[in-house]
Amino acid sequence: MSFWQRTRALRWWIIVIVMLGTIINYLVRQTLGVAVATDAFKADVPMTKEQYSWVTGVFQAFIMLQPVVGYILDRIGLRTGMAIFATGWGLLIAAHGLVGNWQGLAALRGALGFAEGTAHTAGLKVVSEWFPAKERGLAGGIYNLGASAGIALAGPLVAVSIVWWSWRAAFYAAGLLALLWVLLWLRWYRTPDSHPDLAPEELATIRSGQEAHLQAGSGEKPPVLSLLGRRNFWGIAIPRFLADPTWATLTFWLPLYLSEARGLDLKSLAIAVIVPFVAADLGCLFGPALVLFLERRGVQLIDARRWTFTFGALMMTSMAFVGTVTSPTAAVILLSLGGFAHQTLSVTNLTLGSDLFRRNEIGTVAGMAGTMANLGVMIFTLLIGALVTKIGYTPFFVALSVLDLIAAALLWTLVRKPGGKPERESGIIPILLGGGTVAYLGGVAGIGAAGIAGYVGFGFGVLLLVLGIVIEVRVRSRRTLTA
């Protein structure tokens, strides 16, 4: 009998492996965010803030293909899919060390964005397959620790690389770590039904804690249009669209903000960029703990997650004061509180998907919700690149404090608990979202008022409008045939 069969804790080792993968995933994407703030990188790869926003925008454009990534993982399985995509992380980030201009950097970031769309998608699939309902919040918090830890490690990695050799070494090291993780993944990961080291008692624990409505249909082809017609999907996706710009601001712009607006040198920067992400790690654990606390006091699971999200959104209002305090230390403290608050609500929203959708759907749902999240990230970072030299960072910090409050209100409004009336498919929500966006940008604000961000928003609004019409026509046609 193996160690894991004796301890009946294999599922926790599996989620630790996922956490390590998430650490590397975010280390890979954040290495550029730190390197770009250094004089050595600026000397070798000169670019303006607007050009840097284009580079990050390309990354976000391709990471928005998460529905494709999620669909692939749903179809070919996690073990093979993650091995392929994580190998892509390693090779592509290592190639960053060879670039000499921002155009080449943008091309690599686009390819990396597509490969990196697996982080949360894979994590949610593992949580849904390996954990009973009562443990999903903690499991989700554990793997989400990796996001903050990976970003926090990027600062020291770049600083050490510059001291010992050059900024290019940081990208080579990140690539090597990704390839080593692939070996670890292939050695240990299997589904619960096929893992040779899983004790029958632990398998029974996993199965007994899985809700019946999430088990039904496992193994079937994910119904993409049907998912897009459900209000529960939009109840998760729209809050992610509104909340994820906070994470993008911390990831892509924090080093530049602290070095340029707050005057921190490389040594101080390497330390300062760690603190908000350490706080974010604590938020990853606090969110599930608060959900569990509320459940034990009689609050239903879905409501416990919504109250936790709302509490995180209220804490996020501290971000409004980041640009107004005079002390760099005070600014870092407020940013840290924002990181803690964001991960409190983010891990809660991410885990909510595994409570509402079937196992054969969760990868696709996570991918499509990730597209909405990364669209928000893309638009916000393009706005920063276009406007920060004119209006500074403060208005963006204020906006972040408001967006999460709106997200919390929508989470309460749109999400319906399982077990009630069957959810009817409808294209009304994407029609309203798309039509409103097109009307606002095309008429009131003007498409080009915010630069590229305006055109991106308008294009996505048109896509949502068309998608909603297609879904509504499909639903009405089916009703006519069955009438």
Side-chain angles (χ1 to χ4, degrees):
M1 182 179 290
S2 71
F3 169 80
W4 297 113
Q5 288 173 329
R6 291 196 306 273
T7 59
R8 302 174 190 176
L10 179 61
R11 64 191 183 280
W12 298 107
W13 172 234
I14 294 296
I15 205 65
V16 166
I17 293 173
V18 175
M19 180 191 71
L20 293 173
T22 309
I23 288 174
I24 294 170
N25 182 285
Y26 278 84
L27 172 64
V28 162
R29 70 177 69 182
Q30 177 62 6
T31 303
L32 175 64
V34 177
V36 75
T38 65
D39 292 335
F41 183 93
K42 292 175 182 177
D44 289 343
V45 190
M47 58 180 165
T48 65
K49 285 189 180 64
E50 187 171 18
Q51 289 168 342
Y52 175 60
S53 74
W54 295 343
V55 170
T56 60
V58 170
F59 177 88
Q60 296 305 142
F62 279 87
I63 207 171
M64 282 196 297
L65 295 174
Q66 281 185 20
V68 178
V69 172
Y71 189 85
I72 291 172
L73 293 181
D74 279 337
R75 297 298 288 163
I76 70 174
L78 274 180
R79 186 170 185 270
T80 300
M82 281 303 298
I84 293 171
F85 282 110
T87 299
W89 309 344
L91 297 177
L92 288 167
I93 195 61
H96 280 51
L98 305 175
V99 299
N101 55 61
W102 72 267
Q103 293 92 337
L105 191 61
L108 286 172
R109 294 304 282 184
L112 182 64
F114 178 75
E116 288 227 320
T118 51
H120 289 303
T121 305
L124 284 175
K125 280 186 69 65
V126 171
V127 168
S128 68
E129 290 179 359
W130 274 88
F131 290 88
K134 65 181 181 180
E135 295 177 349
R136 283 195 205 118
L138 178 58
I142 289 173
Y143 95 73
N144 266 286
L145 288 172
S148 310
I151 294 173
L153 290 172
L157 176 65
V158 172
V160 170
S161 297
I162 290 175
V163 171
W164 285 3
W165 183 27
S166 75
W167 60 266
R168 300 180 188 274
F171 293 99
Y172 302 146
L176 177 61
L177 289 173
L179 297 177
L180 290 175
W181 182 82
V182 171
L183 299 178
L184 181 67
W185 174 259
L186 289 174
R187 164 62 182 86
W188 283 104
Y189 189 78
R190 304 289 190 283
T191 63
D193 291 332
S194 62
H195 206 296
D197 291 316
L198 183 63
E201 296 84 358
E202 186 175 4
L203 179 59
T205 298
I206 295 170
R207 286 177 173 173
S208 65
Q210 299 277 358
E211 303 96 318
H213 73 275
L214 300 182
Q215 296 300 308
S218 180
E220 297 175 4
K221 183 178 179 181
V224 177
L225 281 179
S226 174
L227 293 172
L228 288 169
R230 300 184 202 173
R231 63 184 289 167
N232 273 351
F233 167 74
W234 295 104
I236 294 172
I238 301 175
R240 285 201 63 188
F241 171 86
L242 296 170
D244 270 38
T246 296
W247 198 244
T249 302
L250 294 175
T251 303
F252 297 133
W253 294 96
L254 178 61
L256 279 173
Y257 170 72
L258 292 177
S259 65
E260 297 181 356
R262 296 294 179 173
L264 300 187
D265 57 24
L266 179 61
K267 181 180 178 181
S268 300
L269 188 65
I271 298 172
V273 296
I274 293 177
V275 180
F277 296 106
V278 172
D281 274 341
L282 297 177
C284 285
L285 298 177
F286 176 76
L290 182 55
V291 170
L292 185 60
F293 174 84
L294 293 172
E295 275 194 282
R296 287 176 175 173
R297 278 147 186 82
V299 180
Q300 198 271 342
L301 176 61
I302 302 301
D303 286 339
R305 296 208 194 282
R306 289 194 282 206
W307 279 118
T308 300
F309 188 102
T310 304
F311 183 72
L314 291 171
M315 287 193 293
M316 271 295 299
T317 56
S318 63
M319 290 285 282
F321 305 101
V322 170
T324 60
V325 296
T326 57
S327 166
T329 301
V332 171
I333 290 172
L334 289 172
L335 288 165
S336 300
L337 182 56
F340 177 86
H342 174 76
Q343 286 300 77
T344 294
L345 62 86
S346 179
V347 69
T348 303
N349 190 20
L350 285 168
T351 310
L352 190 57
S354 62
D355 300 322
L356 298 172
F357 295 94
R358 297 175 178 180
R359 285 173 55 186
N360 70 306
E361 299 170 342
I362 189 62
T364 305
V365 167
M368 294 189 300
T371 292
M372 289 295 293
N374 284 290
L375 174 67
V377 168
M378 182 181 182
I379 291 174
F380 203 80
T381 194
L382 287 172
L383 284 171
I384 293 177
L387 301 175
V388 70
T389 56
K390 301 176 183 177
I391 64 176
Y393 288 94
T394 299
F396 296 102
F397 290 129
V398 173
L400 292 176
S401 70
V402 175
L403 290 175
D404 282 345
L405 293 174
I406 300 173
L410 289 172
L411 196 66
W412 282 99
T413 303
L414 294 177
V415 170
R416 286 183 174 176
K417 302 174 189 177
K421 290 178 59 178
E423 189 178 358
R424 296 179 62 183
E425 295 177 26
S426 171
I428 296 300
I429 292 177
I431 287 174
L432 292 175
L433 287 173
T437 302
V438 169
Y440 178 74
L441 291 176
V444 180
I447 299 176
I452 296 178
Y455 291 100
V456 171
F458 184 84
F460 204 79
V462 172
L463 180 61
L464 281 178
L465 180 60
V466 172
L467 177 65
I469 292 172
V470 170
I471 293 172
E472 193 64 20
V473 169
R474 175 175 176 267
V475 170
R476 292 178 181 273
S477 298
R478 288 167 59 186
R479 289 175 187 167
T480 302
L481 291 174
T482 56

